[in-house]
Amino acid sequence: MRAVQVTEFGGPEVLTPVELPDPVAGPGEVLIDVERIGVNYADTHQAENSYLAPSKLPLVPGGEVVGRTQEGRRVVALLNGGGGYAEKAVAPEATTFPVPDGIDDLTALSMLVQGTTAWVLLRRNAHLAEGESVVVHAAAGGVGTVAVQLAKAWGAGRVIATASSDEKRALALELGADVAIDSRAEDMTEALLDANGRRVDIVLDMVGGTTTDQSIAALAPFGRLAFYGMAGRENPKPVELRNVLGHSTTISGMWLPHVFRLPGNVFGTALNELFDLVLAGKLKAIPGGEYALSDARGAHEALRSRRTVGKLLLDPAK
């Protein structure tokens, strides 16, 4: 089968098209003929071995695919440790989900990781209450585009989007944000306070560095910042507990694999709710571009440059 392999850690340049033997499904696993592959920021960290879960060489990156099982079922699946950048992939049965009629490949993959991430951030980390203000950083990205829509659908009082270009800010407004500000603002604290007219209740942050530091400073008493990525590849400053106490601040992190450790089928519940919202016309996936599998490097370059919007896909047939 055609695949993309990494034999040394690094940036997009280490993604190499190769021919590999077809994978074989073991007990409790499903072999999938891949029709589309989802591209995530986590894949870029996996390729350079900077992800939360250490990578081992050689590896085929990619954690999510949509396609058909050997029995013909159309499914979307989370993979265990990679293997997605290929024409065939093996996924655990427990993280393989049926795709309802009316849900296309783009939407299935958008909701599988980005959608469920936004759902968990708002429901479990931030505990969004009706009328609260929500800041969505990187609002034109995969998680951001879903989070803006969900926050509005679930009764947020004011949704403040940040993005780096006029086009991205316009997209955030189209999706329901009340205001969109430049993510490159010199003083993000002041920009958020100006945008909301007061301190903010919730911040969803996957940028890191100064953006995180200044967002924490903009939180209202009992405000919550949910941290789920570090696209800027810069660590925030250490948080002093006396400041957390002094402002009644909650700072939480979220890594999607941990959701599967929660009692009950939280992930499946989130995914089904997201699909229902899509089918009801209340939520939509935003295409970010489709690349040939052989050009996975180009997809990573675009993603790391932060010039993309929505969801990026790879086509294994090209």
Side-chain angles (χ1 to χ4, degrees):
M1 68 174 184
R2 297 169 61 250
V4 168
Q5 189 177 59
V6 172
T7 57
E8 60 177 322
F9 294 123
E13 72 281 354
V14 304
L15 299 173
T16 305
V18 295
E19 290 284 338
L20 294 176
D22 291 355
V24 177
E29 295 181 326
V30 179
L31 179 63
I32 299 170
D33 290 320
V34 178
E35 295 175 353
R36 291 295 185 277
I37 302 152
V39 181
N40 297 301
Y41 262 104
D43 302 347
T44 71
H45 287 292
Q46 189 180 40
E48 65 183 13
N49 199 25
S50 61
Y51 195 44
L52 291 174
S55 302
K56 294 182 180 180
L57 297 174
L59 69 91
V60 174
E64 55 168 355
V65 299
V66 64
R68 294 193 179 272
T69 67
Q70 302 307 291
E71 298 77 27
R73 292 183 296 136
R74 184 162 171 259
V75 296
V76 64
L78 288 170
L79 310 183
N80 185 12
Y85 287 16
E87 292 180 302
K88 295 180 183 290
V90 168
E93 180 72 52
T95 58
T96 300
F97 306 91
V99 179
D101 292 340
I103 300 293
D104 60 21
D105 290 347
L106 169 69
T107 302
L109 288 168
S110 294
M111 298 305 144
L112 183 68
V113 170
Q114 278 79 16
T116 55
T117 295
W119 191 100
V120 172
L121 288 168
L122 289 168
R123 287 281 199 228
R124 303 288 299 219
N125 288 72
H127 300 284
L128 170 63
E130 189 171 351
E132 289 189 311
S133 55
V134 179
V135 176
V136 180
H137 287 306
V143 175
T145 52
V146 178
V148 167
Q149 295 176 79
L150 287 182
K152 292 303 292 186
W154 291 343
R158 190 164 176 82
V159 175
I160 302 161
T162 78
S164 61
S165 69
D166 290 340
E167 293 77 12
K168 289 183 177 182
R169 291 189 287 274
L171 173 60
L173 293 171
E174 176 189 327
L175 294 174
D178 296 287
V179 61
I181 63 178
D182 195 334
S183 60
R184 299 163 298 180
E186 185 173 342
D187 188 333
M188 182 57 70
T189 303
E190 181 179 355
L192 294 179
L193 296 179
D194 287 345
N196 198 42
R198 59 179 180 82
R199 292 184 171 274
V200 299
D201 298 307
I202 294 168
V203 176
L204 307 185
D205 178 29
M206 54 86 68
V207 180
T210 303
T211 296
T212 304
D213 300 331
Q214 295 183 352
S215 296
I216 292 172
L219 288 172
F222 295 99
R224 290 89 75 197
L225 182 139
F227 189 70
Y228 65 99
M230 207 158 54
R233 286 173 161 76
E234 178 187 359
N235 281 312
K237 293 177 182 177
V239 175
E240 294 188 17
L241 291 182
R242 63 179 180 178
N243 291 335
V244 173
L245 179 64
H247 296 280
S248 298
T249 300
T250 297
I251 300 170
S252 65
M254 200 282 284
W255 189 34
L256 196 61
H258 288 155
V259 175
F260 291 96
R261 302 184 187 181
L262 295 172
N265 185 18
V266 174
F267 190 94
T269 298
L271 187 59
N272 287 333
E273 184 174 342
L274 292 165
F275 284 158
D276 287 344
L277 287 169
V278 171
L279 293 172
K282 298 178 180 179
L283 178 64
K284 63 180 180 180
I286 304 301
E290 186 170 291
Y291 293 75
L293 176 62
S294 58
D295 190 28
R297 173 177 178 173
H300 277 222
E301 288 172 343
L303 196 61
R304 290 182 60 145
S305 73
R306 297 175 63 187
R307 66 175 183 263
T308 63
V309 300
K311 182 68 178 179
L312 275 66
L313 304 180
L314 297 178
D315 182 350
K318 298 179 181 178

